[in-house]
Amino acid sequence: MKENIIEIKDVQLHYGNHHALKSINLSVSKCEILAFIGPSGCGKSSLLRCINRMNDLIDGCRVRGKVVIEGFGDIYGKGIDINNLRKNVGMVFQKPNVFPMSIFDNIAFGPRTHGIKKKKDLDPIVEDSLKKAGIWQEVKDDLKKSAISLSGGQQQRICIARALAVQPKILLMDEPTSSLDPISTAIIEDLCENLKINYTIVIVTHNMQQATRISDKTAFFLNGEILEFGETTQIFSNPKNEKCEKYITGRFG
Amino acid sequence: MMTVKLKDGIAKYFLLCSAAFSIVALLAIALFLFSRGIPAMAEIGLFKFLFGTVWHNNPGATNQSYGVLPMILGSIYVTALATMIGLTIGIFIAVFIFKFCPKKIRGILEQLINLLGGIPSVVFGLFGILVVVPALRQISPTFVGEGILAASLILSIMILPTIVTISLNSLKAVPRNFYEGALALGATKEQSVFKVVLPAAKSGVYTAVVLSIGRAIGETMAVIMVIGGSPQIPTSWLQSIDTLTALIARNSGEASGLAFEALIACGVVLFVFTILLNVFLMTVKIKRTNQSYKLTLKRHNERQAQKLIDHTSFLHLRVALLYKRTKFFIKYPFVKLGQFFVWLVVVCKLNVICRQLSELLDKNWRAESRQKAWYAFLKVSSFFAAFLGVLALVGLILFILIRGTPYVSWHFVFGKYTLDNPTLTPAIVGTLILVGIALCISIPIGVGSAIFLSEYARKAKGVKYIRLAIDSLAAIPSIVYGLFGFIFFVGLFGWSYSLLAGGVTLAIMTLPTVIRITEESLLTVPHIYREGSVALGASKVRTTFKVVLPCASVGIASALIQTVGRVISESAVLILTIGLMVNIVPDGVMSPGTSLALNIYYFGNFGSSDQAAATCVVLLIVVLLLNLVLSFVGKRLGRNNFKY
Amino acid sequence: MFIVSKNKFSIATKLSALLLFIVSVFGLTACDYQFRVDRPIIIISRDSASGTREAFFTLLFGSKQADIRLKLGSIELNSTAAILARVSSDPQSIGYDSLGFVNDSVKLLPVDKYLPTTQNILDDKYKLWRPLSVLYRIDRMKQRHLSAFNDFLQSQQAQDIVQSRGYVNFPSSEGYAEYKPIADLVGTIRVSGSTTVEPMMQRLREKFLDYQPNCKIELTAAGSGPGRNDIKNDNSDFGMQSAVVTQSHIDDIEQGAGVGNVGQTNLAIDAIAVIVHSSNYLGIPKSDLTDDIQEQGQSVTMQNLANLIDNDSGVSFATWKAMLEFQ
């Protein structure tokens, strides 16, 4: 039994008056892929963003409850160094958001933020991250090239490499392949399989086939609650919750 | 990581101070104006001041009188007429560029309008003295060319770029499916644009109107040269009158005692009016209607079309009658034959076209075609307006070039100034110093304020006041800035007439522009960049300065260049602060000096129009170069930027 | 039939061409640059900061000149040169300007039958003249460079320049001494004031700097009034004046400078010429000036000038003819 790296206890989230997350309880084990599935607008991304406190950026967002991450304790408690938290909990967004800089600068941005300035220290990190993201072969000849001149799939992989460069323990992915073509999607899904060895991945996805392909565990969200949580194979073959079953079989969503 | 937090805190504090600077500046201006103007008004008597019709402030006179009603009326009439002319032509030009312009010409036309916006007001003033006023003199019954008409014509050309640019942006911002929806219902192109898209862009047009009113009422240099200067109640388009701005500019140098305080009181009147106008702009919200725009034939459109036809037929008859009458004159050879012949041809042409028009309109009496006729007429108007606009610009530039280029020489620009051979060297050095001072102050404070407003405090409560202060600062007329600079920097700080006084005043004046442009470009940086950076553990300061600001670099460069353009073109502020020393190269920031634009005023008023025109040519070249640099920078930096 | 897109340009271009045509026709046919005596007079005047105006009004109205309001509807311009430019382009105009500035782009109107020749001025037959001078603080003259400049202004070299500029030398019983350059003279001299005096001062400045290259002279001109203010507030060392400096002026300056501390150096005599458009047959070009009496009916009287300019004179001349015939 793997130990838990994230424990979410009784988390409630409000956007102004809208009660977006109602009493969420969840545990994430180390080095596994957990998928959040469910219809649009039911809180998947919101919960994901709670884990690295990205919801702090949104005005009027209030979070109650505890999110305990290994090595930090309750990240909503006092005295938490947010920047350090985000260093350890990386995020990949739905739309690739490479900075308008060179590929090298994109990857090096994270390490530079956290104190690594010298080129001789940065070079191996950049190379390593790009290799882990599976894009090293394609870009190694011209790292000075502007990152925005790459294709969508390549950009997303750069984003992944950028997130990996700061050596996080956890990687949060918010629908990372929804704006990509099938080939890029396949590449990134393969990537996740490889990354799972060293990182814990939580992925939000609309694509149930993707969830079945890559995740170990799945959580089904509806209207701000987790209605079902368990092994992926078990949920998709034999869901216990009625609504979950309806969603999976495509009767709504 | 204490140091990061500390850095964050310090940065936030500095940015807050930058943003608060605008409030401080506004309060300072208000304070100094009011603290001298209000007592003056009290001493003169508020009613006697605002509604008195006699202004007589000769030094040493025993019958001094400070009634500014003639000037208030003058300002109002000039502004009203200029806005009416400018608005009509400007909206039609905007529509033309938006829809009816052939694609190849569109870019050139937009550039031309931009160029028009960069031409300093003194150049317009010179054009006024040398071309407009003599021309108007010919049709004036009293043979006076100066007055409301002259000033309004020139002002309307000056406010065209503002109206066109803002209206065009609002038209472009209207969702494309409005237009396409109208087309899909069977409307013609012109019907869709005028009936659907233009009303949807109403709010932008209203903004343009208010901004142009603000610009027109605050314009000093162009007005002072063509208004005449006699403090009488305006009763005709063509008589020598005065406006508030011209009064202040003309008299501030010599007035002292109560006379000077009275001028400050005039500045207060201008200040209050522009602030009120600004508040009005902020509170009046034009709701964009979201209902679908169905084309229904409204009653008033039918009536409009009917009126047009009747009017055209009537015109047709009148023209035919005129034609008959002119035939009569053949018997009298005293009439200049050429004149008559020309009239004949004109009348025939008019005849033919009117007949054609009325045929077109008569043919299909159905309401539908009348509708279409009306919109076709509007479309023709927009062509015509664009033609007029281009004509005005081309005429202006050609005139300046023809008049001035013969006198432009290497020596004129860079040689040593002597009385017989005035040169621009002192002016160029002065301009460079002014630009330097203004940029050093307004760019850091402006960019800092913009960063604070967009990154740190977008929706905080106190921000509303900062924004109000910035918008108010932007609305204050330049001559009021000049007064403030004179009282505050020249007098209170003890700098006396100096480039520093002028430069700092210019810095405050250009601050709102820098803030606006920078903030706009910061706001267009997609939020996902900020999120991406924050998600990597970067602090807010680092995110702002390493990720967001570089993305907005086009905007900041644009703000910088526009500031430079503004400083180079500005003269009303400088008249009261830098002392107009045209003959000696300034040796430091504390010495008096001159600038290129101010030199045009000097040459135009004090010396020869030849040198004035030549300086205009030099200035136009500089403005043109700046425009080119701006578009080049835009393309260059835009290349590296994000696609979104 | 009514398909606008086909005829997209035809109506528009026709209308535009038509209007262009009309406008140019107007332009060609409406040019009428001739003076007509049965048309209105347009008064061109300086603004109230001007010493030229003050001098002119004092000569016409006496000590009450400041109370006189310029006739409403007149054009007020900021400088001597602007007046010249305006009058030379407007057939119906009448203005006044420093004689030294006048050139042959305008004509001079005889006043009380006399033209402004040097002899007529010295004989006071032409009565419109005023002295050009500078004011200074006496205690400042202790500074060597300032007193040297003051001496220079009263020297022969300076008077040569005065004459070359077309002004009349200020009469001096003892004549003018030669200016001798002083070695190693340094200092900054601030000169400000009348725009009429400024061009001459520019020349004087250049000459002085030839003699004393280590000195600096800052020269600005915003009017005689500001020149007096500058002496009063110590913003300037020499205030150029283009009108008679009255006791009340001196009293006002003494409020800032101290009683008895105001000195004056006379530079030249300048006549104020009444100028009209070159097509105005009543006037004579400057190059044709003669000492003779001019024929009646062709000159304007001082009284009529006063009536013309004073807004409250009760007399208003609708045309040139009316003014010439008014008794």
Side-chain angles (χ1 to χ4, degrees), chain B residues 74 77-85 128 132-133 135-141 144-157 222-223 226-228 234-241 243:
Chain B
Y77 289 150
V78 166
T79 309
L81 186 60
T83 309
M84 281 198 286
I85 301 176
V132 177
V133 167
L136 287 178
R137 198 177 294 148
Q138 306 306 325
I139 63 171
S140 159
V144 176
E146 282 89 344
I148 298 178
L149 188 57
S152 301
L153 284 176
I154 294 180
L155 272 182
S156 61
I157 308 179
V223 169
V226 300
I227 200 75
T235 53
S236 140
W237 300 122
L238 293 156
Q239 63 174 171
S240 170
I241 57 145
T243 63

Coordinates of all heavy atoms in Angstrom, one line a residue, chain B residues 74 77-85 128 132-133 135-141 144-157 222-223 226-228 234-241 243:
Chain B
G74 N -17.1 82.7 -26.2 CA -16.2 82.4 -27.4 C -15.8 81.0 -27.3 O -15.8 80.3 -28.3
Y77 N -18.7 78.6 -28.2 CA -19.1 78.6 -29.6 C -18.1 77.9 -30.5 O -18.4 77.1 -31.3 CB -19.3 80.0 -30.2 CG -20.5 80.8 -29.7 CD1 -20.5 82.1 -29.5 CD2 -21.6 80.1 -29.3 CE1 -21.6 82.8 -29.0 CE2 -22.7 80.8 -28.8 CZ -22.7 82.1 -28.7 OH -23.8 82.8 -28.2
V78 N -16.8 78.2 -30.2 CA -15.7 77.6 -31.0 C -15.8 76.1 -30.8 O -15.7 75.3 -31.7 CB -14.3 78.2 -30.6 CG1 -13.2 77.3 -31.1 CG2 -14.2 79.6 -31.1
T79 N -15.9 75.7 -29.5 CA -15.9 74.2 -29.2 C -17.1 73.6 -29.9 O -17.0 72.5 -30.5 CB -16.0 74.0 -27.7 OG1 -14.9 74.7 -27.1 CG2 -15.8 72.5 -27.4
A80 N -18.2 74.2 -29.8 CA -19.5 73.6 -30.3 C -19.3 73.4 -31.8 O -19.6 72.3 -32.3 CB -20.7 74.4 -30.0
L81 N -19.0 74.5 -32.5 CA -18.9 74.4 -34.0 C -17.8 73.4 -34.4 O -18.0 72.6 -35.3 CB -18.6 75.7 -34.6 CG -18.7 75.8 -36.1 CD1 -20.0 75.4 -36.6 CD2 -18.3 77.2 -36.6
A82 N -16.7 73.4 -33.7 CA -15.6 72.5 -34.1 C -16.0 71.1 -33.9 O -15.8 70.2 -34.7 CB -14.4 72.8 -33.3
T83 N -16.7 70.8 -32.8 CA -17.1 69.4 -32.5 C -18.1 69.0 -33.5 O -18.1 67.9 -34.0 CB -17.7 69.3 -31.1 OG1 -16.8 69.9 -30.2 CG2 -18.0 67.9 -30.7
M84 N -19.1 69.9 -33.9 CA -20.1 69.5 -34.8 C -19.5 69.1 -36.2 O -19.7 68.0 -36.7 CB -21.1 70.6 -35.0 CG -22.1 70.6 -33.9 SD -23.6 71.6 -34.4 CE -23.0 73.2 -34.3
I85 N -18.6 70.0 -36.6 CA -18.0 69.7 -37.9 C -17.1 68.4 -37.8 O -17.2 67.5 -38.7 CB -17.1 70.9 -38.4 CG1 -17.9 72.1 -38.5 CG2 -16.4 70.6 -39.7 CD1 -17.0 73.3 -38.9
G128 N -3.5 78.3 -40.3 CA -4.6 79.2 -40.1 C -4.3 80.6 -40.5 O -5.0 81.2 -41.3
V132 N -6.1 79.9 -44.0 CA -7.6 79.9 -43.7 C -8.1 81.4 -43.5 O -9.1 81.7 -44.1 CB -7.8 79.1 -42.4 CG1 -9.3 79.2 -42.0 CG2 -7.4 77.7 -42.6
V133 N -7.4 82.1 -42.7 CA -7.9 83.5 -42.4 C -7.9 84.4 -43.7 O -9.0 85.0 -43.9 CB -7.1 84.2 -41.3 CG1 -7.3 85.6 -41.2 CG2 -7.3 83.5 -40.0
A135 N -8.3 83.4 -46.7 CA -9.4 82.8 -47.5 C -10.8 83.3 -47.0 O -11.6 83.7 -47.7 CB -9.4 81.3 -47.5
L136 N -10.9 83.2 -45.6 CA -12.2 83.6 -45.1 C -12.5 85.1 -45.2 O -13.6 85.6 -45.3 CB -12.3 83.2 -43.6 CG -12.4 81.7 -43.3 CD1 -12.4 81.5 -41.8 CD2 -13.7 81.2 -43.9
R137 N -11.4 85.8 -45.2 CA -11.5 87.3 -45.4 C -12.2 87.6 -46.7 O -13.0 88.6 -46.7 CB -10.1 87.9 -45.5 CG -10.0 89.3 -45.2 CD -8.6 89.8 -45.2 NE -7.8 89.2 -44.1 CZ -6.5 89.0 -44.2 NH1 -5.9 89.2 -45.3 NH2 -5.9 88.5 -43.1
Q138 N -12.1 86.8 -47.7 CA -12.7 87.1 -49.0 C -14.2 87.0 -48.9 O -14.9 87.6 -49.6 CB -12.2 86.2 -50.1 CG -10.7 86.2 -50.2 CD -10.1 87.5 -50.3 OE1 -10.7 88.4 -51.0 NE2 -8.9 87.8 -49.8
I139 N -14.7 86.1 -48.0 CA -16.2 85.9 -48.0 C -16.8 86.6 -46.9 O -18.0 86.6 -46.6 CB -16.5 84.4 -48.0 CG1 -16.1 83.8 -46.7 CG2 -16.0 83.7 -49.2 CD1 -16.6 82.4 -46.5
S140 N -16.0 87.4 -46.1 CA -16.5 88.1 -44.9 C -17.1 89.4 -45.3 O -16.4 90.2 -46.0 CB -15.4 88.2 -43.9 OG -15.7 89.2 -43.0
P141 N -18.3 89.7 -44.9 CA -18.8 91.1 -45.2 C -18.1 92.2 -44.6 O -18.0 93.3 -45.1 CB -20.3 91.0 -44.7 CG -20.3 89.9 -43.7 CD -19.2 88.9 -44.1
V144 N -13.1 90.8 -42.2 CA -12.3 90.2 -41.1 C -12.3 88.7 -41.3 O -13.4 88.1 -41.4 CB -12.9 90.6 -39.7 CG1 -12.1 89.9 -38.7 CG2 -12.8 92.1 -39.6
G145 N -11.2 88.0 -41.3 CA -11.2 86.6 -41.5 C -11.1 85.8 -40.2 O -11.4 84.7 -40.1
E146 N -10.7 86.5 -39.1 CA -10.5 85.8 -37.9 C -11.8 85.5 -37.2 O -12.8 86.1 -37.7 CB -9.7 86.7 -36.9 CG -8.2 86.7 -37.2 CD -7.8 87.8 -38.1 OE1 -8.6 88.3 -38.8 OE2 -6.6 88.1 -38.2
G147 N -11.8 84.7 -36.2 CA -13.0 84.5 -35.5 C -13.4 83.1 -35.3 O -12.6 82.2 -35.4
I148 N -14.7 82.9 -34.9 CA -15.1 81.5 -34.6 C -15.0 80.6 -35.7 O -14.6 79.4 -35.5 CB -16.6 81.6 -34.1 CG1 -16.8 82.5 -32.9 CG2 -17.2 80.2 -33.8 CD1 -18.2 82.7 -32.5
L149 N -15.3 81.0 -36.9 CA -15.3 80.1 -38.0 C -13.9 79.6 -38.3 O -13.7 78.4 -38.5 CB -15.9 80.8 -39.3 CG -16.1 79.9 -40.5 CD1 -17.0 78.8 -40.1 CD2 -16.7 80.7 -41.7
A150 N -13.0 80.5 -38.3 CA -11.6 80.1 -38.6 C -11.1 79.2 -37.5 O -10.5 78.1 -37.9 CB -10.7 81.4 -38.6
A151 N -11.3 79.5 -36.3 CA -10.8 78.6 -35.2 C -11.5 77.3 -35.3 O -10.9 76.2 -35.1 CB -11.1 79.3 -33.9
S152 N -12.8 77.3 -35.6 CA -13.5 76.0 -35.6 C -13.0 75.1 -36.7 O -12.9 73.9 -36.5 CB -15.0 76.2 -35.7 OG -15.5 77.0 -34.7
L153 N -12.8 75.7 -37.9 CA -12.4 74.9 -39.0 C -11.0 74.2 -38.6 O -10.9 73.0 -38.9 CB -12.2 75.8 -40.2 CG -13.5 76.2 -41.0 CD1 -13.2 77.1 -42.1 CD2 -14.2 74.9 -41.5
I154 N -10.1 75.0 -38.1 CA -8.8 74.4 -37.8 C -9.0 73.4 -36.7 O -8.4 72.3 -36.7 CB -7.9 75.5 -37.4 CG1 -7.6 76.4 -38.6 CG2 -6.6 74.9 -36.8 CD1 -6.7 77.5 -38.3
L155 N -9.7 73.7 -35.6 CA -9.9 72.8 -34.5 C -10.5 71.5 -35.0 O -10.2 70.4 -34.5 CB -10.8 73.4 -33.4 CG -10.1 74.2 -32.4 CD1 -11.1 74.7 -31.4 CD2 -9.0 73.3 -31.7
S156 N -11.5 71.6 -36.0 CA -12.2 70.3 -36.4 C -11.2 69.4 -37.1 O -11.2 68.2 -36.9 CB -13.3 70.7 -37.3 OG -12.9 71.3 -38.4
I157 N -10.2 70.0 -37.8 CA -9.2 69.1 -38.4 C -8.4 68.5 -37.3 O -7.9 67.4 -37.4 CB -8.3 69.9 -39.4 CG1 -9.1 70.7 -40.4 CG2 -7.4 69.0 -40.1 CD1 -8.2 71.5 -41.4
A222 N -3.3 76.9 -31.6 CA -3.9 77.1 -32.9 C -5.0 78.2 -32.8 O -5.1 79.1 -33.7 CB -4.6 75.8 -33.3
V223 N -5.7 78.3 -31.6 CA -6.7 79.3 -31.5 C -6.2 80.7 -31.4 O -6.7 81.6 -32.0 CB -7.6 78.9 -30.2 CG1 -8.5 80.0 -29.9 CG2 -8.4 77.6 -30.5
V226 N -5.6 82.6 -34.6 CA -6.6 82.9 -35.6 C -7.9 83.5 -35.0 O -8.9 83.7 -35.7 CB -7.0 81.7 -36.4 CG1 -5.9 81.1 -37.2 CG2 -7.7 80.7 -35.6
I227 N -7.9 83.8 -33.7 CA -9.1 84.2 -33.1 C -9.3 85.7 -33.0 O -10.4 86.2 -32.9 CB -9.2 83.6 -31.6 CG1 -10.7 83.6 -31.2 CG2 -8.4 84.4 -30.7 CD1 -11.5 82.5 -31.8
G228 N -8.3 86.5 -33.2 CA -8.4 87.9 -33.2 C -8.1 88.7 -31.9 O -7.3 89.6 -31.9
P234 N -19.4 87.4 -28.8 CA -19.5 87.0 -30.2 C -20.9 87.2 -30.8 O -21.9 86.7 -30.2 CB -19.1 85.5 -30.2 CG -18.6 85.3 -28.8 CD -19.2 86.3 -27.9
T235 N -21.0 87.8 -32.0 CA -22.3 87.9 -32.6 C -22.2 87.5 -34.1 O -23.2 87.4 -34.8 CB -22.8 89.4 -32.6 OG1 -21.8 90.2 -33.2 CG2 -23.2 89.9 -31.3
S236 N -21.1 87.1 -34.5 CA -20.9 86.6 -35.9 C -19.8 85.6 -36.0 O -18.9 85.6 -35.2 CB -20.6 87.9 -36.8 OG -19.7 87.6 -37.8
W237 N -19.9 84.8 -37.1 CA -18.8 83.8 -37.2 C -17.5 84.5 -37.5 O -16.4 83.9 -37.3 CB -19.1 82.9 -38.4 CG -20.4 82.1 -38.4 CD1 -21.4 82.2 -39.2 CD2 -20.8 81.2 -37.4 NE1 -22.4 81.4 -38.9 CE2 -22.1 80.7 -37.7 CE3 -20.2 80.7 -36.2 CZ2 -22.8 79.8 -37.0 CZ3 -20.9 79.8 -35.5 CH2 -22.2 79.3 -35.8
L238 N -17.5 85.6 -38.1 CA -16.3 86.2 -38.6 C -16.1 87.6 -38.0 O -16.4 88.6 -38.6 CB -16.4 86.4 -40.2 CG -16.4 85.1 -40.9 CD1 -17.1 85.3 -42.3 CD2 -15.0 84.5 -41.1
Q239 N -15.7 87.6 -36.7 CA -15.3 88.8 -36.1 C -14.2 88.5 -35.0 O -14.2 87.3 -34.6 CB -16.5 89.5 -35.4 CG -17.1 88.6 -34.3 CD -18.2 89.3 -33.6 OE1 -18.9 88.7 -32.8 NE2 -18.4 90.6 -33.8
S240 N -13.5 89.5 -34.7 CA -12.4 89.2 -33.8 C -12.9 89.0 -32.4 O -13.5 89.9 -31.8 CB -11.4 90.4 -33.8 OG -10.5 90.3 -32.8
I241 N -12.7 87.8 -31.8 CA -13.2 87.6 -30.5 C -12.1 86.9 -29.7 O -11.0 86.8 -30.2 CB -14.5 86.7 -30.5 CG1 -14.2 85.4 -31.2 CG2 -15.7 87.4 -31.1 CD1 -14.9 84.2 -30.5
T243 N -11.1 83.7 -26.6 CA -11.5 82.5 -25.9 C -10.7 82.5 -24.5 O -9.7 83.2 -24.4 CB -11.2 81.2 -26.6 OG1 -9.8 81.0 -26.7 CG2 -11.9 81.1 -27.9

